[in-house]
Amino acid sequence: MSAGATGVGSLPGGDAREAAKTATGSFEDFPYLPELPARGPGADMIGRSTGLLVDMYAHVEPSGWRISDRPGRDTRRARSWLGEDLDALEEFTQGYTGRLKVQAVGPWTLAAALELHGGEAMLQDAGACRDLAGSLAEGLREHLADVRRRIPGADIVLQLDEPSLTAVLLGRVRSASGYRTYRAVDRQVVEGALRDLFAVHDGEVIVHSCAPEVPFGLLRRAGATGVSFDFSLLTEREDDAIGEAVEGGTKLFAGVVPGTDGPLSDPGGSVMGVRKLWRRLGLAPGTLAESVVVTPSCGLAGASPAYARAVQAHCVRAARSLADNPE
């Protein structure tokens, strides 16, 4: 069994065909739908996901994305770019069968980033958060059906990006003025909204966060089949939660290769920390390959095109090293 490798989501540049070619060429066994935020508002992570919402719209203000009463230019642009990216992916996945990952921003990071008409985050309004999660669920259902139509042999893996999740749970999201923070959202409410959203997809659902203190236990209880994270931010405090997750069958998408330009170690060296973690937790080395997928530590939008290509090839080699020498 070979350990898998895939990308996180974003790539540098603005050429959809070039990005699709890179994502499918680097990860022949686990390609993904690339995101190209350099194109501008609507191609960024938040804007792209607002384009998926059903009966809910947003536009760009100087302060960020704000809820609108009707679809405008920003919504149309977000949808048009997503369509372009899907066309390109479809072209490079003709006849493909196997895992294919698509990404969207999760409801809590979206609620922390989207502004209500008055400028405060949706996060402060429980009703607005419920509406947002419902709208996102509907939009994701349509999006996943579209991807299935285009690439019928794909076994779709849905990734929800939740970098603000920990801040939402701990009451660390700043208000519009920046002088105060919004109240922490009850863990049960957070977990329930995620569970309902995960239910739109009957395949693998993973949650990605490159922030510290990823709530592994909560995500597992909500039904995530995998968690994607920046491996360098782990502390031994998370050991128990990770051990339980692995023993419960949760896949770890370990971000072990830096997402911005720098020297790359040898592929075996990149996954040394993962092997050490396994030893520390007393897990059988033989389970490494089926439990771990190797990824960059975060999206690659800030990298040079050459580095982005090198990192993805490096992840594949690091995954092979993990499978061949788990100890």
Side-chain angles (χ1 to χ4, degrees):
M1 164 86 184
S2 144
T6 190
V8 171
S10 65
L11 285 174
D15 184 330
R17 287 187 76 253
E18 188 53 44
K21 189 175 163 189
T22 300
T24 54
S26 303
F27 301 113
E28 290 168 12
D29 300 329
F30 199 167
Y32 64 98
L33 174 65
E35 300 164 5
L36 301 171
R39 291 183 294 202
D44 61 301
M45 167 172 128
I46 299 297
R48 188 182 183 87
S49 293
T50 62
L52 292 172
L53 299 174
V54 172
D55 296 332
M56 196 177 267
Y57 314 101
H59 64 277
V60 180
E61 289 277 338
S63 53
W65 285 88
R66 184 170 293 185
I67 289 298
S68 317
D69 297 324
R70 60 185 71 84
R73 190 184 59 199
D74 297 326
T75 299
R76 286 194 293 275
R77 197 187 289 137
R79 289 177 178 171
S80 155
W81 274 328
L82 178 59
E84 208 176 284
D85 294 338
L86 285 166
D87 289 345
L89 187 69
E90 189 177 353
E91 180 187 337
F92 288 100
T93 48
Q94 294 295 311
Y96 174 74
T97 55
R99 293 162 97 194
L100 167 75
K101 185 164 71 66
V102 298
Q103 307 84 220
V105 177
W108 295 107
T109 295
L110 218 44
L114 282 176
E115 297 173 357
L116 295 163
H117 295 299
E120 291 295 343
M122 284 187 105
L123 191 62
Q124 73 163 23
D125 181 331
C129 288
R130 274 195 302 276
D131 293 347
L132 177 65
S135 169
L136 180 61
E138 210 42 57
L140 279 174
R141 207 173 273 124
E142 290 174 12
H143 178 45
L144 293 167
D146 183 24
V147 177
R148 267 187 218 104
R149 267 194 306 276
R150 290 166 176 267
I151 310 162
D155 185 5
I156 299 172
V157 176
L158 172 62
Q159 171 181 312
L160 292 165
D161 293 319
E162 280 284 17
S164 302
L165 184 60
T166 302
V168 166
L169 288 164
L170 298 177
R172 291 181 187 159
V173 177
R174 295 219 156 273
S175 66
S177 67
Y179 291 124
R180 59 185 184 87
T181 52
Y182 296 113
R183 199 178 324 155
V185 181
D186 183 87
R187 295 182 84 84
Q188 242 89 39
V189 173
V190 169
E191 193 180 311
L194 290 173
R195 185 178 296 113
D196 290 348
L197 190 63
F198 297 169
V200 305
H201 182 47
D202 53 9
E204 286 182 73
V205 179
I206 66 168
V207 174
H208 168 73
S209 168
C210 40
E213 301 174 71
V214 175
F216 287 92
L218 180 144
L219 294 173
R220 200 167 56 101
R221 286 193 304 277
T225 57
V227 182
S228 165
F229 56 97
D230 179 344
F231 194 83
S232 71
L233 297 177
L234 280 190
T235 66
E236 293 194 12
R237 279 204 305 274
E238 275 110 344
D239 276 8
D240 289 349
I242 288 178
E244 278 169 28
V246 171
E247 284 171 349
T250 305
K251 280 209 167 34
L252 302 182
F253 285 65
V256 294
V257 191
T260 46
D261 292 39
L264 291 169
S265 74
D266 67 295
S270 292
V271 284
M272 186 86 80
V274 181
R275 292 193 186 96
K276 279 190 184 141
L277 172 71
W278 240 243
R279 280 201 294 276
R280 210 164 66 222
L281 296 176
L283 296 166
T287 62
L288 252 177
E290 66 230 34
S291 300
V292 175
V293 177
V294 176
T295 73
S297 58
C298 216
L300 296 169
S304 66
Y307 180 79
R309 282 193 297 275
V311 162
Q312 303 202 104
H314 187 90
C315 286
V316 173
R317 288 196 295 272
R320 201 167 296 135
S321 147
L322 208 49
D324 294 348
N325 316 302
E327 308 208 38

